[in-house]
Amino acid sequence: MGSVPTSASHFAALPTAPRDEIFALLGEFRRDTHPQRVNLGAGVYCDNDGEPFPLDVVRTVEKSMNEKADPHRHDYTPIEGDQEFLALARKFVFGDACDESRLTSVQTVSGSGANHVGARFLANTIRPRRVWLSAPTWANHELIWATVGVPVHFYPYYNAETRALDFAAMVETLEKEAEANDVIVLHACAHNPTGLDPTKEQWIVLGELCQRKGIFPFFDNAYQGFASGDPSIDAWAIRHFAQLQPPIEMCVAQSFSKNLGLYGHRAGAFHVVATGEGCTPAAKDAVTANLAQIIRSEYSVSPRYGSDIVKAVLGNKDLTRKWQAELHTMAGRIIAMRVCLYEELRRLGTPGSWTHIIDQIGMFSYTGLTPPEVTYLKEKFHIYIHSSGRISIAGLNTKNVKYVAAAIHAVRSDPSLVTSA
């Protein structure tokens, strides 16, 4: 009997895909046993003791769910999702700014799933020549749009010299280069990673620009209520675009990971706002059917535990009121930590300007720390930060903020490290 011929593996020459830096940092942090280690990489809210923060209102709902022991609690949701959850999620985003007849919604695997389902849907339907992303943006945006085959272009957003939003350059680029049917991804609030948002006046300019040029707005709404503490304030830009006259078509990817602390339960939704000639009930049904086909091909149905919690909170006025109080507390702690870090850096006389820390909003701050400084902070002080210099303010607390400030001061004062300050 002859020997079985051998051949090289199909995967022998497979190139290594880059690791996700945030999750890689989290892994390093978890393996670190240093008593003063600090995690400023992952976007997860922690309390003042650096511990996870399950919301009281979520625990109340979970207790009720456990006591009820609904025999259907493990059933599949429909492919398009739980309709009661979707109606409440729509209301939370749009308020009264958009007629229900214009809205189509499906449940998704949190915000990442909403972004991907939305990108695939638009790539299949309106077939944009390009998508415009902010420079910088959440890392997953570029990956998602690349996987659906839409060329990615970047519009200026962050000015490294001023540590501020470069709105003039953003508008100039979009005016000169963006074309009708292009998609533009906009962060509804608490821009990730910079923490810099347009003002209301600037949002009005962007709305007019999209309306006039026929650019399709795609809002990523990951932090509603978590940025300012007020969900209506954080939804202002979306609601403004939804009320433009003449109306425009747009979409929204929505996540409940941050504002309800449901990170691992993946509760989200994707909403399409349609308008114009041919926008009929039949066309709306076709949108739902096409979205459902994408969902079916990728993961069949969304997880229900997180959406059941969202449904219980948003469907009860008393629970909604208690939740919004907790949102206010979380947002307030983050704002307070920004002030503490800023004041401590000022007290130490740390080289550089640090006012951007208190000018920014939301979970993240673009500090201006350089990659060599970030590496030094990790190796010498066990402080874990993204290489871009982005820090998660939620990882700061009254017990570690002085340590972090002292470490930044030591790094920024070291002449052997090249900085951009």
Side-chain angles (χ1 to χ4, degrees):
M1 187 174 181
S3 61
V4 177
T6 59
S7 61
S9 167
H10 290 291
F11 313 112
L14 188 68
T16 300
R19 295 188 307 165
D20 184 277
E21 185 180 352
I22 293 298
F23 282 94
L25 270 177
L26 184 58
E28 288 185 66
F29 172 79
R30 287 171 173 166
R31 291 188 295 271
D32 192 340
T33 58
H34 193 275
Q36 287 184 293
R37 64 180 184 156
V38 181
N39 178 16
L40 300 182
V44 176
Y45 183 84
C46 297
D47 63 17
N48 195 53
D49 293 318
E51 296 297 327
F53 184 73
L55 277 67
D56 286 340
V57 70
V58 170
R59 287 189 281 198
T60 297
V61 170
E62 287 181 311
K63 181 180 178 181
S64 175
M65 289 167 62
N66 288 335
E67 290 173 350
K68 185 179 179 182
D70 182 353
H72 297 288
R73 65 191 182 278
H74 300 304
D75 287 352
Y76 289 122
T77 60
I79 295 174
E80 63 273 17
D82 182 319
Q83 291 304 312
E84 185 180 350
F85 161 75
L86 289 171
L88 291 164
R90 275 196 303 271
K91 183 71 173 177
F92 184 64
V93 176
F94 292 97
D96 297 321
C98 193
D99 192 298
E100 280 279 330
S101 65
R102 296 177 58 204
L103 278 164
T104 303
S105 306
V106 291
Q107 190 173 338
T108 61
V109 183
S110 199
S112 295
N115 272 276
H116 182 71
V117 167
R120 171 61 66 192
F121 174 70
L122 295 182
N124 291 350
T125 54
I126 73 172
R127 295 182 173 85
R129 290 183 58 191
R130 61 178 73 84
V131 60
W132 290 93
L133 305 177
S134 64
T137 191
W138 177 49
N140 218 15
H141 281 150
E142 185 174 4
L143 179 61
I144 285 169
W145 284 93
T147 62
V148 301
V150 177
V152 172
H153 288 237
F154 290 92
Y155 56 84
Y157 196 84
Y158 176 72
N159 186 314
E161 292 184 5
T162 63
R163 310 277 199 269
L165 170 63
D166 197 346
F167 187 71
M170 175 184 179
V171 171
E172 181 182 10
T173 297
L174 294 171
E175 287 282 12
K176 288 182 178 179
E177 300 180 32
E179 299 178 1
N181 223 44
D182 283 359
V183 173
I184 182 170
V185 175
L186 300 164
H187 300 228
C189 64
H191 182 274
N192 179 5
T194 69
L196 296 166
D197 290 344
T199 63
K200 285 185 178 180
E201 292 74 20
Q202 289 170 335
W203 277 122
I204 290 170
V205 171
L206 291 173
E208 186 278 331
L209 190 155
C210 289
Q211 184 183 47
R212 172 169 44 81
K213 298 201 69 169
I215 303 170
F216 193 101
F218 189 128
F219 278 96
D220 189 354
N221 186 35
Y223 301 98
Q224 187 183 350
F226 197 86
S228 70
D230 186 326
S232 294
I233 290 174
D234 294 346
W236 190 91
I238 293 173
R239 295 176 184 182
H240 171 71
F241 274 61
Q243 295 179 99
L244 286 171
Q245 294 297 327
I248 62 172
E249 295 187 308
M250 57 183 280
C251 62
V252 178
Q254 179 182 23
S255 169
F256 289 98
S257 290
K258 302 296 193 295
N259 54 20
L260 266 161
L262 299 174
Y263 305 98
H265 291 303
R266 317 310 291 147
F270 178 68
H271 310 280
V272 178
V273 180
T275 190
E277 185 177 347
C279 182
T280 63
K284 184 176 176 179
D285 289 344
V287 170
T288 302
N290 278 267
L291 288 167
Q293 186 178 56
I294 293 169
I295 290 169
R296 177 60 171 159
S297 72
E298 295 189 352
Y299 52 88
S300 275
V301 299
S302 297
R304 69 177 303 150
Y305 187 78
S307 62
D308 281 349
I309 293 173
V310 174
K311 186 168 61 173
V313 172
L314 292 182
N316 180 290
K317 289 183 179 179
D318 184 52
L319 291 177
T320 300
R321 187 163 50 249
K322 290 178 180 177
W323 172 46
Q324 290 181 344
E326 289 191 271
L327 272 177
H328 188 75
T329 297
M330 290 192 292
R333 197 186 83 74
I334 285 179
I335 292 169
M337 285 301 100
R338 286 186 179 277
V339 173
C340 284
L341 179 60
Y342 167 73
E343 290 183 345
E344 189 63 16
L345 290 169
R346 290 275 292 171
R347 187 188 70 79
L348 293 169
T350 306
S353 173
W354 301 99
T355 55
H356 55 283
I357 291 175
I358 53 175
D359 290 339
Q360 296 162 359
I361 191 171
M363 181 176 282
F364 301 112
S365 174
Y366 228 45
T367 60
L369 293 167
T370 64
E373 291 173 329
V374 168
T375 299
Y376 194 75
L377 284 168
K378 181 175 71 172
E379 293 177 351
K380 184 173 178 60
F381 295 98
H382 301 265
I383 297 173
Y384 291 81
I385 297 173
H386 192 275
S387 60
S388 66
R390 186 202 81 169
I391 66 172
S392 173
I393 299 293
L396 293 173
N397 55 60
T398 56
K399 300 174 184 178
N400 67 21
V401 68
K402 287 188 176 181
Y403 175 73
V404 170
I408 292 174
H409 176 76
V411 167
R412 183 47 63 90
S413 302
D414 188 339
S416 69
L417 292 172
V418 178
T419 74
S420 60

